[in-house]
Amino acid sequence: MSFLTLENVSKCYGTAQVVCDMNLSVEKGEFVSLLGPSGCGKTTTLQMMAGFADVSAGRITLAGRDITHAKPNTRGLGIVFQSYALFPHMSVHDNVSFGLEMRRVPKAERAERVKAALALVHLEAHATRYPRELSGGQRQRVALARALVIEPQVLLLDEPLSNLDAKLREEMQFELRQIQRKVGTTTVMVTHDQTEAMSISDRVVVMEGGRVTQIDAPHRLYEHPQTRFISSFVGKANLLEGRVSATATSGWATVQLGAVSLDVQAPGVGVGDAVVLSLRPEKIRLLPERRDRLSGTVRERFFLGSQWLYRVETAAGELVVVCPNDEAAPVEEGMRTGLEWSAQQVRLLAGATHAGEVTA
Ligand SMILES: Nc1ncnc2c1ncn2[C@@H]1O[C@H](COP(=O)(O)OP(=O)(O)OP(=O)(O)O)[C@@H](O)[C@H]1O
Ligand SMILES: [Mg+2]
């Protein structure tokens, strides 16, 4: 049985439903992220788990116990909010110790646990400092130690790394994941950063407009996005609008994109259906022009360090292509090039099938 579950959980503010029929099962020890654009209901969902926002409908259980309406302090949760609000007048040690004092943990045990929590986030040496004497990343780690020290059943993190610069953020992502693995705490993290969600989570919950649209492991989410939104929100994608011109019993279909035809695994589509296909930029290779290959003109080229990014104008529309910066010479702007990919890499986006007009 799952450890933390949400069953048909909804939240309304007046007549506005900001979370709709949310279902989620988190296993013990799992790291799950809620990912989605601003205003999609991530914080509200976390607040309902924490007990800071009332649940309008549905049920939340933790370890088999119904906690839908339980008081926040009886839920056994550790929480780190976006603004990590340390007590400014207390040392690092006292900030971390505070929750244990509230729980009347004996002094000797408190000292042990604070020491262990600070060691976990590599801040033993800073125990006597005050928050103002720490960097943003160090403060963030104190907030994490403070949440972990009470040994919560579930750790809830709302944009815990949002105030950090890119480099520190990346370091903290790895650190957070390492700490979570070591301690094994079931964790739910809110983020609107897809790279962050993908790099640290066991599973990612994508939310759009108060609804869950896909729950999957990061790699699967990236390789098999269920909607047009996910396809472009999680990584970059070339979206191609076309019409099915032939189908086969094997589940393969031929899609016509202007003058170009493309094979795609698309069970359930019919001839004449308008469809949207997704093709990731890094799945396309630039090769010499050939008669049986799609070709195009390189309009722009950008150097990204480890990669080159190209915008290539083709008969199937403009395609973004990302190639590794290896020993091969990059293609110049204005040059003609061939483009190739394996047919397995083209995805039909679910819900994108309709028999209407194609605009492209
Ligand atoms: N107390 C409230 N009263 C009315 N509406 C609210 C309240 N709190 C949140 N909302 C609305 O609920 C929706 C979801 O808000 P929420 O804070 O959950 O979004 P979010 O996904 O966390 O966004 P962000 O990434 O910007 O933090 C928003 O449209 C917001 O305006
Ligand atoms: Mg939020």
Side-chain angles (χ1 to χ4, degrees):
M1 199 179 102
S2 296
F3 192 54
L4 174 67
T5 65
L6 275 70
E7 293 165 42
N8 300 104
V9 169
S10 297
K11 175 70 186 172
C12 301
Y13 285 113
T15 54
Q17 195 169 12
V18 300
V19 175
C20 313
D21 268 336
M22 172 131 182
N23 286 291
L24 174 66
S25 300
V26 182
E27 302 301 324
K28 203 170 166 77
E30 202 179 12
F31 196 123
V32 168
S33 290
L34 307 183
L35 173 71
S38 183
C40 73
K42 307 180 296 293
T43 295
T44 306
T45 302
L46 207 72
Q47 298 269 358
M48 287 194 284
M49 291 177 185
F52 297 134
D54 294 332
V55 175
S56 304
R59 207 165 90 101
I60 302 179
T61 64
L62 177 62
R65 173 180 158 233
D66 188 332
I67 58 159
T68 317
H69 303 292
K71 289 212 165 59
N73 59 0
T74 64
R75 297 188 181 203
L77 307 171
I79 303 163
V80 178
F81 288 117
Q82 181 173 346
S83 51
Y84 32 83
L86 301 176
F87 302 116
H89 58 286
M90 284 189 194
S91 67
V92 165
H93 175 281
D94 293 352
N95 261 285
V96 177
S97 180
F98 184 77
L100 297 177
E101 283 171 48
M102 290 290 103
R103 285 169 178 75
R104 304 189 192 292
V105 173
K107 201 168 173 190
E109 184 186 336
R110 231 159 53 210
E112 283 290 307
R113 282 169 67 173
V114 171
K115 203 170 154 201
L118 287 178
L120 204 59
V121 297
H122 308 298
L123 281 177
E124 310 98 303
H126 294 29
T128 56
R129 288 211 197 167
Y130 286 84
R132 64 173 180 278
E133 299 168 325
L134 300 174
S135 72
Q138 289 166 336
R139 271 181 239 159
Q140 200 80 68
R141 279 183 277 164
V142 177
L144 196 57
R146 194 172 59 170
L148 283 169
V149 78
I150 59 169
E151 293 169 6
Q153 297 198 72
V154 178
L155 189 58
L156 301 178
L157 308 169
D158 192 354
E159 307 267 5
L161 312 178
S162 59
N163 292 343
L164 308 181
D165 67 45
K167 187 165 184 296
L168 194 54
R169 191 171 177 140
E170 204 170 292
E171 282 170 18
M172 281 294 296
Q173 285 168 4
F174 285 113
E175 212 153 312
L176 184 57
R177 183 59 169 153
Q178 270 178 357
I179 292 171
Q180 193 268 344
R181 283 226 175 98
K182 204 186 285 181
V183 183
T185 311
T186 311
T187 305
V188 180
M189 180 180 79
V190 162
T191 180
H192 62 263
D193 180 331
Q194 50 102 3
T195 319
E196 183 165 291
M198 306 255 279
S199 64
I200 33 186
S201 318
D202 294 311
R203 281 187 307 153
V204 178
V205 178
V206 184
M207 294 181 70
E208 295 168 56
R211 292 181 188 278
V212 171
T213 48
Q214 190 167 356
I215 304 180
D216 254 320
H219 184 254
R220 206 175 146 77
L221 187 72
Y222 185 83
E223 295 296 339
H224 297 275
Q226 293 287 306
T227 68
R228 186 178 184 136
F229 169 81
I230 297 170
S231 175
S232 32
F233 190 68
V234 179
K236 290 192 178 68
N238 292 296
L239 297 180
L240 307 166
E241 298 190 2
R243 198 179 285 280
V244 177
S245 58
T247 57
T249 46
S250 57
W252 284 88
T254 306
V255 173
Q256 209 64 36
L257 307 153
V260 179
S261 65
L262 221 137
D263 291 327
V264 60
Q265 185 85 56
V269 299
V271 172
D273 283 354
V275 293
V276 180
L277 307 178
S278 164
L279 178 60
R280 299 282 185 200
E282 75 279 10
K283 311 288 189 193
I284 306 175
R285 292 179 300 279
L286 296 186
L287 295 164
E289 272 190 288
R290 220 170 60 186
R291 272 183 50 201
D292 60 345
R293 234 174 231 160
L294 180 66
S295 60
T297 305
V298 174
R299 286 293 167 218
E300 280 183 301
R301 185 181 80 178
F302 301 91
F303 181 53
L304 306 179
S306 62
Q307 296 165 320
W308 290 96
L309 185 148
Y310 300 93
R311 290 189 183 283
V312 187
E313 200 175 288
T314 76
E318 188 187 87
L319 293 178
V320 174
V321 182
V322 169
C323 302
N325 173 25
D326 52 20
E327 60 270 27
V331 186
E332 301 292 334
E333 285 178 355
M335 296 290 282
R336 298 281 302 165
T337 180
L339 299 97
E340 204 175 75
W341 57 82
S342 118
Q344 270 90 356
Q345 299 296 347
V346 182
R347 307 274 178 249
L348 174 83
L349 297 179
T353 313
H354 57 93
E357 279 299 301
V358 184
T359 49

